[in-house]
Amino acid sequence: MTPLSSIIRRHNLNYHLYADDTQLYVTLKPCPDEMSTAAEGIQQCFDEIHDWMNSPMLRLNEDKTQFMVFGSKYQLNHLPFDPSLQFADNVFRASDSVRDLGVQLDSHLTMESHITSICKSAYFHLRCLAKIKKTSTPQILTQLVHCFITSRLDYGNSLLYGCSSTILRKLQLIQNSAARLITGTKRREHITPILKNLHWLPVENRITFKILVLTYRALHNMAPLYLSNLLEKYHPGRALRSGQSLDLQQPRTRTQYGDLAFTSVSPRLWNDLPHVIKSAKSLTIFKKLLRTHLFNMYYM
């Protein structure tokens, strides 16, 4: 255990440590007493971290230090105090959006800022690829699209599950534009046959694919332990045929955020899969069967 993690644990905070990044987080109920207690605990942890950093002559990077309060619009509009944290002489105010491991998060978890960032970057690269289209073969153009466009659509896309169709349509239009660029299809032509010929899953199905792959990894010890611990296999109270179905326990949720959590979405999607897919012997076989299943569901 590192000295930094020991300090954080003493204040009963959750954390993730990365090579050049540290994240602290705490969950709480939207009541004034609990929120005040949590804010005091985080501030005390900050003060102790500051004292520890002074001894090895370390310094906090103020430009990359941010904090955010997540909640519904009603909850954030009725906070009992103005959220802020102080580290030495620096005072940090709550941000409206933060970048976390390449994903742009907003305080209401609508993912609008993240999708806006994807659209801006993707359309820039599409315009650049359009300029070299005449000097490139379809094979090279396809590889470039996967490198600069598809990779951006797929990165962190499991977080987009449950987003409104209006928001997801923005990403689907990017995929449609990439398909038209490769095939030379005009805008008036229907895009579904083009995507089918390219063997591309639409954006919404790609999100489902990513979540189910993460679920398979978690169930077969190929994912971080904190993900595996979120899933529980279904064990009926008495001997039933469903006891051999490889299903997962579906937790009860009371909020919209709970319905969209990995602990809720993963079992719901997993339990709907055919048994032959859930019982795949390897990740490669699982991906192949799952992709075929989702492809047939959408195009057939």
Side-chain angles (χ1 to χ4, degrees):
M1 183 180 299
T2 64
L4 183 58
S5 60
S6 300
I7 295 174
I8 299 172
R9 283 178 177 269
R10 280 200 294 271
H11 295 274
N12 298 319
L13 299 178
N14 300 309
Y15 65 93
H16 287 300
L17 301 180
Y18 302 96
D20 59 350
D21 188 23
T22 301
Q23 298 178 6
L24 309 181
Y25 61 97
V26 61
T27 58
L28 47 91
K29 296 179 180 179
C31 60
D33 292 340
E34 190 166 341
M35 295 180 68
S36 299
T37 302
E40 292 175 1
I42 297 175
Q43 185 60 65
Q44 292 172 3
C45 181
F46 262 44
D47 294 339
E48 189 170 348
I49 291 176
H50 175 259
D51 295 337
W52 169 76
M53 293 181 69
N54 284 335
S55 56
M57 300 183 68
L58 299 175
R59 182 180 177 183
L60 181 74
N61 189 339
E62 298 89 353
D63 296 334
K64 294 186 178 181
T65 301
Q66 296 175 293
F67 89 97
M68 172 175 283
V69 181
F70 295 99
S72 65
K73 292 183 179 179
Y74 177 83
Q75 292 170 345
L76 297 184
N77 290 335
H78 292 80
L79 291 176
F81 53 87
D82 183 22
S84 62
L85 291 174
Q86 185 171 355
F87 193 92
D89 298 330
N90 303 302
V91 178
F92 301 100
R93 303 288 180 182
S95 302
D96 294 328
S97 65
V98 296
R99 190 174 183 84
D100 184 10
L101 301 178
V103 177
Q104 201 76 23
L105 300 176
D106 58 272
S107 56
H108 304 306
L109 292 178
T110 62
M111 306 306 293
E112 289 185 11
S113 57
H114 178 62
I115 291 180
T116 300
S117 176
I118 293 176
C119 293
K120 182 179 179 180
S121 176
Y123 280 122
F124 168 78
H125 288 290
L126 279 174
R127 289 191 295 269
C128 293
L129 293 177
K131 295 178 181 179
I132 63 171
K133 178 181 178 180
K134 295 182 179 180
T135 60
S136 303
T137 64
Q139 292 77 13
I140 294 178
L141 203 57
T142 300
Q143 293 179 0
L144 292 174
V145 164
H146 287 322
C147 178
F148 293 104
I149 309 301
T150 308
S151 61
R152 284 172 168 79
L153 295 178
D154 289 344
Y155 183 79
N157 63 346
S158 58
L159 299 173
L160 304 179
Y161 184 88
C163 288
S164 66
S165 57
T166 302
I167 294 178
L168 293 181
R169 176 161 174 77
K170 295 180 181 180
L171 299 183
Q172 187 59 57
L173 290 176
I174 293 175
Q175 189 186 50
N176 295 350
S177 298
R180 296 183 191 280
L181 176 67
I182 293 174
T183 59
T185 307
K186 297 181 180 180
R187 296 185 62 181
R188 295 183 179 179
E189 298 184 39
H190 195 49
I191 193 61
T192 300
I194 308 303
L195 297 177
K196 182 179 179 181
N197 291 335
L198 291 172
H199 297 279
W200 286 6
L201 288 175
V203 169
E204 193 169 353
N205 291 64
R206 299 177 83 90
I207 295 172
T208 301
F209 179 84
K210 177 66 73 63
I211 295 175
L212 288 172
V213 169
L214 285 175
T215 303
Y216 184 90
R217 288 179 178 272
L219 293 174
H220 293 80
N221 301 319
M222 293 184 286
L225 188 60
Y226 65 84
L227 278 181
S228 301
N229 292 338
L230 296 176
L231 303 178
E232 181 181 354
K233 294 184 178 180
Y234 173 70
H235 298 289
R238 54 193 177 90
L240 298 173
R241 184 178 300 176
S242 59
Q244 305 297 325
S245 62
L246 303 178
D247 284 351
L248 296 176
Q249 187 71 35
Q250 180 72 40
R252 295 182 179 179
T253 57
R254 297 181 179 179
T255 64
Q256 181 182 4
Y257 291 117
D259 293 339
L260 300 179
F262 180 76
T263 52
S264 178
V265 173
S266 175
R268 187 162 62 246
L269 295 177
W270 178 266
N271 294 345
D272 290 338
L273 288 178
H275 181 80
V276 65
I277 299 179
K278 291 186 286 189
S279 59
K281 298 300 182 182
S282 68
L283 180 61
T284 302
I285 296 176
F286 176 79
K287 286 183 176 181
K288 182 178 180 180
L289 294 175
L290 178 60
R291 186 179 294 275
T292 301
H293 174 69
L294 295 176
F295 187 89
N296 291 337
M297 284 184 59
Y298 184 79
Y299 291 111
M300 300 303 179

